[in-house]
């Protein structure tokens, strides 16, 4: 079995995001970038399945600028066998990413595609679902447990009502939740070894995919600043304020 894992380069989750002065987006210059957190879970799961002898190869793919190579390299350092970087300049939308990934799937013929449930920069939660639709493959989203069976996958999903377990036929798309596993850290020897692993570079143009934006971003604004709270002297005062000022009870 071969597993393709999609990894996106995003602003590190610890960075305090700053909006550009002209409201055209967020500041990315000189900002720490990392792998989108649930994509780390996706790689970890694929590597664990390989270590359990149930997969032969794990291939990491990223779509983005030249620097996204670092994200692919990190996936190689935690156990992926080889990488693919599809080079695109500037912002790329989920529909274009899923069209590119479809081309990569047709070329690589994986049995499974693992992705993150959502990218923390655009919060779209669309790419996996769109890829499943384009390929006409089954999808299991928000996976918090994955069991590889003979020709199917048993996937536990975190839904509002609790845990839902579904069985999907392979090939399938799985989008991974943060609770799926604990991603490992890359050891220094593995970081060194990853430098020798191959990363194939392809341009989106070579794949014949139109990556033009379909969405016009009007403006990006900071959320309103939260006002400071107040202290109340008693429960009675709290209830009175909730009733008469906040009018929530
Ligand atoms: P989104 O639909 O943007 O919330 O992204 C969901 C998932 O799709 C991410 O967690 C990644 O696994 C994958 N993905 C989105 N954009 C990219 C990209 N540019 N390169 C590689 N994978 C991506």
């Amino acid at each position: 079995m071969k597993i393709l894992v999609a990894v996106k380069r995003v602003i590190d989750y610890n960075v305090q995001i700053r909006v550009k002065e002209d409201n055209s987006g967020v500041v990315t210059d000189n900002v720490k970038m990392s792998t989108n957190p649930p994509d780390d879970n996706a790689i970890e799961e694929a590597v664990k399945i390989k270590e359990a002898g149930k997969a032969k190869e794990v291939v990491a793919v990223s779509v983005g600028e030249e620097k996204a190579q670092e994200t692919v390299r990190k996936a190689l350092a935690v156990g992926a066998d080889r990488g693919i970087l599809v080079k695109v300049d500037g912002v790329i939308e989920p529909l274009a990413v899923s069209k590119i990934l479809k081309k990569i799937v047709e070329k690589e013929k994986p049995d499974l595609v693992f992705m993150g449930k959502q990218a923390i920069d655009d919060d779209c939660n669309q790419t996996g679902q769109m890829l499943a639709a384009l390929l006409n493959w089954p999808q299991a989203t928000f996976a918090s447990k994955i069991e590889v069976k003979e020709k199917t996958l048993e996937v536990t999903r975190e839904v509002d009502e609790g845990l839902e377990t579904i069985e999907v036929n392979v090939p399938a798309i799985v989008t991974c939740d943060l609770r799926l596993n604990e991603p490992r850290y890359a050891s220094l020897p593995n970081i060194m070894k990853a430098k020798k692993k191959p990363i194939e570079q392809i341009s989106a143009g070579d794949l014949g995919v139109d990556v033009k934006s379909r969405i016009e971003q009007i403006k990006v604004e900071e959320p309103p600043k939260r006002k400071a709270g107040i202290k109340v002297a008693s429960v009675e005062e709290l209830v009175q304020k909730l009733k008469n000022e906040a009018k929530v009870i």
Side-chain angles (χ1 to χ4, degrees):
M1 190 158 78
K2 182 178 187 177
I3 310 177
L4 184 74
V5 188
V7 285
K8 185 177 188 187
R9 181 173 184 264
V10 296
I11 296 181
D12 186 90
Y13 70 95
N14 285 308
V15 169
Q16 177 78 39
I17 302 289
R18 279 179 302 127
V19 172
K20 286 186 188 161
E21 271 177 18
D22 64 358
N23 295 100
S24 63
V26 299
V27 176
T28 52
D29 290 344
N30 302 318
V31 165
K32 183 174 182 228
M33 306 294 283
S34 297
T35 307
N36 183 47
D39 305 359
D40 280 329
N41 298 89
I43 279 284
E44 175 65 29
E45 197 65 17
V47 171
K48 271 166 72 175
I49 292 172
K50 187 185 163 193
E51 287 170 346
K54 293 178 179 170
K56 280 217 165 68
E57 195 182 27
V58 176
V59 182
V61 55
S62 193
V63 181
E65 293 174 351
E66 179 72 34
K67 284 185 177 160
Q69 205 181 131
E70 291 163 18
T71 310
V72 177
R73 200 62 77 188
K74 187 186 159 205
L76 299 178
V78 290
D81 299 289
R82 61 188 172 86
I84 301 172
L85 170 66
V86 182
K87 283 211 267 183
V88 179
D89 288 326
V91 177
I92 178 154
E93 290 165 5
L95 179 60
V97 175
S98 37
K99 285 181 184 171
I100 288 172
L101 292 178
K102 177 175 183 261
K103 294 279 183 189
I104 300 294
V105 167
E106 285 164 357
K107 181 169 169 282
E108 291 287 333
K109 301 190 175 33
D111 302 279
L112 293 172
V113 180
F114 284 0
M115 312 172 68
K117 63 169 179 180
Q118 197 162 336
I120 60 167
D121 53 359
D122 59 21
D123 270 341
C124 278
N125 172 24
Q126 294 172 352
T127 314
Q129 293 87 333
M130 285 181 178
L131 178 61
L134 291 173
L135 289 166
N136 200 20
W137 282 14
Q139 59 176 302
T141 53
F142 297 90
S144 61
K145 190 171 168 212
I146 300 173
E147 238 178 278
V148 181
K149 302 273 175 100
E150 190 76 357
K151 282 190 177 129
T152 61
L153 280 190
E154 201 175 277
V155 179
T156 304
R157 312 178 56 236
E158 298 215 348
V159 293
D160 282 351
E161 294 80 16
L163 297 176
E164 179 191 53
T165 304
I166 60 169
E167 194 167 11
V168 288
N169 290 329
V170 170
I173 309 289
V174 182
T175 76
C176 303
D177 195 276
L178 293 169
R179 276 172 288 270
L180 177 61
N181 53 39
E182 189 67 46
R184 69 193 71 183
Y185 287 100
S187 65
L188 194 57
N190 285 342
I191 293 173
M192 300 311 286
K193 267 193 230 156
K195 291 192 174 162
K196 295 204 180 101
K197 291 185 182 175
I199 299 182
E200 183 186 356
Q201 298 216 4
I202 309 172
S203 86
D206 292 345
L207 294 173
V209 177
D210 167 16
V211 295
K212 216 173 45 231
S213 276
R214 261 76 177 170
I215 300 167
E216 186 195 349
Q217 194 178 69
I218 298 167
K219 63 175 172 178
V220 177
E221 286 178 307
E222 298 251 1
K225 292 250 180 307
R226 281 183 68 176
K227 292 198 195 107
I230 54 158
K231 274 192 180 165
V232 289
S234 65
V235 172
E236 289 72 30
E237 190 188 347
L238 172 67
V239 171
Q240 181 261 324
K241 281 191 183 301
L242 289 174
K243 219 183 234 168
N244 303 325
E245 289 178 24
K247 298 193 189 326
V248 290
I249 56 170

